[in-house]
Amino acid sequence: MRWTSEQRQAIAAEGNLIVSAAAGAGKTAVLTERIVSRVVSGVPVERLLVLTFTRAAAAEMKSRIANRLNTLAEETQNPELARFLRRQARAVDGAYLSTIHAFCARVLRRHYYAVGLPARARTADEMESAALIETVRDELLTQLSVEENEEYRTLLSSFGGEQPAWDAVIQTYRFTRSEPDPEAWLNRAEERYSDDAALERILQDAVAFSQREIALMMEPLTAARDSLSPDWAGVISVLDDDLSRYRALLLAKQYDSYRAALQALEYGVLRFPRGTAEAEKKPVQDARAAGKDLVKEQQKRFSREKEETLAVLKRSGETVRALVEITRRFERAYTEAKREANVLDYDDLEHLTLQALRQEPIEAEYREQFRWIAVDEYQDSNRVQEEILNRISTGDNLFFVGDVKQSIYRFRQAEPKLFLQKLALFSGAQGTRIDLKSNFRSSSVVLDAVNEVFEAILTEETGDIDYDARARLVCGTSQPEGAAELHLIERKRAETEGETEEDPLENAADLEVEARLIASHIHEMLEREPYVDTRTGETRSYRYADFAVLLRAGTDAQTVSQTLSQQGIPCYAQT
């Protein structure tokens, strides 16, 4: 295989290394070759720890490594090396190459006694865990009602009913399970609302957050102002006044001064030159309206004076303390239910492994075991997993690969900031950072479109990273010419106050609008544009069979196919 210079560096580099690998950059091939190169240098596979995100990825990785080792054994002229490589290929199946949960289960099978586990404890799947949680929930809520529990009544009052109160409890519980010390996190949550200095910091955080909103809003307004010709002097003057008032907000240092500046905001009247077309007015009007809407929202947010807001936060502390206590009650009841059923859930695997590794002899065993540690899809790790890795690492044998732009598991408490911290840390003396930007899957027009969109919307404020030269995708292959277009459909729908859940009927209606747009575009291409068949070189008209519609979810296929059929486009759906 022909490697790029960055790929070769990622394969060969020593010490701590983090690889930021864009989509289609060949990270799996690089990771496989890096593992194989370590084995070829004489490191047995049992001395390597390789963690993947899924069991399927682990199985694929094992197959790739074993096949590559066998191929190298066939190619080498060194009989002793060939025998070693074949032995290692056979040993791959039993190596420490698995998901983090499979690794934790393996540690606990060996050291179950160190954490007080029964020898035959098993891991429950997600459905069994969910069923057990529901059972514990019903029993606990019944018990709290019988007790007329004060904390439970506080939650019911604060959240407006049993289901939202329970949702808050289970969300809090799940969040704490991503922390190395859940109890310490709960203690800090309680204490925060009893500490005047901590409450002051909450207000300062609110001001800082609101100022970031203002700064982001000012960017399109400034761009609109700068695009105007001197003939629009009156409009420019009004926009300059708006921007001056917004800059004054950014200079406010305290809650009271920010609130006062916000409440005092007034706007001049925007008068366009006579005869200005509506299309010319719209960019300015939209940018200005976005600023006004944000200010109205913030004025509601800062409607109370500082002392009144502090008093409200202190009262909120009662809800927080009640939430913490009921979460603790649930955790104890759920733990007991799992003990009686002799099962563990996936969170238990991580926490009990961490508990075992906090014992020096066990920690030393695994630190000495692994010469090299690799983690795939590192952007979806959590803090418990990070602590496990820190305890078994020698400090200079870590290899991380991933892409923070592809982090999709925050709802499962993944912490992509760990990846960003390593990018910064390994860009200095403590390691090496390598960016794999070349995409070998997509054409240049697709990548150019992706780059243009993300350069416009992805910043450190909106997505934790700036979409800079290091993040841009680079075409690494030759693909047929084509084009990419982005169509934005403006939604103008009255929203019901307090309505937060998605409406399936509204979503279906949105999808029908998109499908009608697709149908219109297909009709235009059939009538006007020639098609060059890349297989035959023939130039011809488009056919319906030349088109494919890719959907985010298979459940959308029926709606789209029905709409296309109604628009006269023959199609079929495949999920």
Side-chain angles (χ1 to χ4, degrees):
M1 181 173 178
R2 294 178 59 185
W3 303 104
T4 66
S5 59
E6 292 84 5
Q7 287 174 329
R8 284 195 299 271
Q9 187 183 0
I11 292 166
E14 297 295 337
N16 291 331
L17 176 65
I18 185 165
V19 174
S20 181
K27 73 177 179 67
T28 303
V30 167
L31 178 55
T32 300
E33 194 66 18
R34 184 174 172 89
I35 295 166
V36 168
S37 69
R38 298 311 184 266
V39 176
V40 171
S41 70
V43 180
V45 292
E46 64 264 20
R47 300 295 302 278
L48 306 176
L49 173 63
V50 182
L51 300 176
T52 64
F53 197 72
T54 65
R55 288 190 292 268
E60 180 188 357
M61 185 72 68
K62 285 183 176 182
S63 175
R64 285 182 179 227
I65 293 169
N67 290 339
R68 181 74 173 126
L69 290 173
N70 282 323
T71 298
L72 291 175
E74 292 294 329
E75 293 175 351
T76 183
Q77 302 299 312
N78 185 330
E80 185 177 346
L81 177 59
R83 286 192 294 272
F84 172 74
L85 293 177
R86 290 191 182 97
R87 283 200 307 273
Q88 297 311 306
R90 291 193 295 271
V92 164
D93 195 51
Y96 283 90
L97 201 166
S98 66
T99 64
I100 181 69
H101 294 126
F103 168 69
C104 291
R106 191 165 176 174
V107 172
L108 294 175
R109 281 195 298 271
R110 178 172 173 80
H111 296 288
Y112 63 90
Y113 57 87
V115 293
L117 271 180
R120 296 185 178 277
R122 62 182 179 82
T123 305
D125 61 30
E126 291 188 358
M127 290 185 63
E128 185 177 3
S129 296
L132 192 57
I133 286 173
E134 282 301 302
T135 299
V136 171
R137 169 194 185 278
D138 293 343
E139 292 176 353
L140 177 60
L141 294 185
T142 299
Q143 185 177 356
L144 292 170
S145 297
V146 170
E147 294 173 5
E148 297 185 350
N149 183 276
E150 188 63 34
E151 286 88 1
Y152 181 49
R153 286 195 291 188
T154 297
L155 285 190
L156 292 177
S157 174
S158 298
F159 289 95
E162 183 177 276
Q163 190 57 50
W166 173 253
D167 289 343
V169 170
I170 200 66
Q171 288 170 13
T172 303
Y173 170 77
R174 286 176 173 152
F175 179 83
T176 62
R177 300 303 289 172
S178 68
E179 291 290 315
D181 190 341
E183 184 60 26
W185 188 91
L186 290 172
N187 289 337
R188 289 194 300 272
E190 280 187 304
E191 292 164 1
R192 189 178 190 190
Y193 288 86
S194 302
D195 182 347
D196 289 343
L199 295 180
E200 289 278 357
R201 287 195 295 273
I202 291 175
L203 294 190
Q204 287 305 112
D205 288 346
V207 171
F209 176 80
S210 299
Q211 288 176 324
R212 286 196 296 274
E213 288 183 323
I214 294 292
L216 288 171
M217 174 273 295
M218 288 174 65
E219 292 179 6
L221 184 61
T222 302
R225 182 255 182 246
D226 292 344
S227 69
L228 301 179
S229 72
D231 297 339
W232 290 34
V235 175
I236 292 173
S237 176
V238 171
L239 296 183
D240 283 342
D241 287 345
D242 291 350
L243 290 168
S244 294
R245 294 185 180 96
Y246 293 146
R247 292 188 190 101
L249 286 174
L250 300 182
L251 294 174
K253 301 298 183 183
Q254 303 296 328
Y255 180 93
D256 284 336
S257 58
Y258 188 81
R259 176 179 179 274
L262 196 62
Q263 301 298 336
L265 259 178
E266 293 181 352
Y267 292 94
V269 178
L270 196 62
R271 291 188 175 90
F272 291 93
R274 184 172 298 175
T276 303
E278 290 301 318
E280 293 181 87
K281 297 178 184 178
K282 193 172 189 307
V284 175
Q285 292 171 329
D286 287 350
R288 196 171 193 237
K292 288 183 173 181
D293 290 344
L294 177 61
V295 166
K296 286 180 183 177
E297 181 185 328
Q298 289 197 6
Q299 286 173 337
K300 292 178 184 177
R301 194 184 304 165
F302 287 84
S303 60
R304 299 185 180 92
E305 294 185 356
K306 180 178 177 180
E307 293 307 316
E308 185 182 357
T309 303
L310 287 172
V312 170
L313 285 174
K314 287 182 179 180
R315 290 197 298 273
S316 299
E318 298 174 8
T319 301
V320 172
R321 285 186 286 275
L323 179 59
V324 165
E325 180 54 34
I326 301 303
T327 300
R328 287 188 177 119
R329 288 277 299 266
F330 168 74
E331 191 276 332
R332 290 194 294 269
Y334 183 41
T335 298
E336 178 61 22
K338 287 183 289 186
R339 189 192 64 78
E340 291 178 359
N342 202 27
V343 298
L344 307 172
D345 63 17
Y346 291 125
D347 292 333
D348 293 328
L349 293 176
E350 294 178 2
H351 279 277
L352 291 173
T353 297
L354 183 55
Q355 183 181 333
L357 291 172
R358 283 174 175 151
Q359 302 176 40
E360 177 56 32
I362 300 175
E363 179 182 309
E365 173 190 334
Y366 288 97
R367 193 186 308 116
E368 294 167 7
Q369 168 78 26
F370 301 123
R371 293 269 300 276
W372 185 70
I373 299 171
V375 183
D376 192 16
E377 304 293 359
Y378 180 58
Q379 76 277 355
D380 287 319
S381 294
N382 65 37
R383 296 191 182 278
V384 183
Q385 295 163 4
E386 179 76 358
E387 181 68 18
I388 290 171
L389 294 173
N390 288 340
R391 289 190 170 273
I392 62 178
S393 167
T394 59
D396 62 351
N397 63 340
L398 294 169
F399 176 80
F400 300 115
V401 61
D403 181 8
V404 72
K405 300 186 296 299
Q406 297 184 61
S407 180
I408 59 173
Y409 285 101
R410 290 197 188 195
F411 70 97
R412 290 185 177 176
Q413 282 69 59
E415 183 47 271
K417 286 186 178 179
L418 294 171
F419 189 93
L420 297 173
Q421 290 166 2
K422 287 294 190 305
L423 284 179
L425 189 66
F426 289 1
S427 294
Q430 297 192 41
T432 302
R433 168 183 174 171
I434 296 173
D435 295 281
L436 300 183
K437 300 182 293 183
S438 295
N439 179 294
F440 299 96
R441 294 178 188 161
S442 303
S443 67
S444 59
V445 291
V446 171
L447 300 181
D448 289 345
V450 170
N451 285 333
E452 186 172 351
V453 170
F454 279 99
E455 282 173 349
I457 67 173
L458 192 55
T459 65
E460 190 170 352
E461 288 81 11
T462 60
D464 293 331
I465 64 166
D466 287 318
Y467 201 82
D468 54 16
R470 288 183 122 169
R472 281 180 60 88
L473 299 170
V474 177
C475 188
T477 185
S478 177
Q479 297 280 0
E481 289 297 317
E485 300 176 2
L486 174 63
H487 295 263
L488 299 179
I489 301 173
E490 187 175 1
R491 291 175 59 177
K492 292 184 177 179
R493 178 184 297 123
E495 296 185 3
T496 304
E497 186 174 347
E499 186 177 294
T500 58
E501 293 186 4
E502 288 191 355
D503 184 338
L505 293 177
E506 285 189 358
N507 290 340
D510 292 339
L511 200 57
E512 288 177 11
V513 173
E514 292 182 29
R516 286 198 294 272
L517 175 62
I518 293 169
S520 173
H521 206 53
I522 290 174
H523 284 309
E524 289 179 8
M525 294 179 71
L526 285 168
E527 293 171 4
R528 301 179 186 176
E529 296 186 21
Y531 172 68
V532 179
D533 193 316
T534 57
R535 291 171 297 181
T536 66
E538 173 193 3
T539 300
R540 58 173 175 79
S541 298
Y542 274 100
R543 304 167 184 153
Y544 288 115
D546 293 325
F547 295 92
V549 179
L550 305 181
L551 302 170
R552 183 170 182 171
T555 52
D556 296 336
Q558 184 176 1
T559 299
V560 171
S561 62
Q562 287 178 348
T563 305
L564 292 178
S565 296
Q566 291 166 2
Q567 300 296 314
I569 295 177
C571 62
Y572 72 96
Q574 181 176 324
T575 59

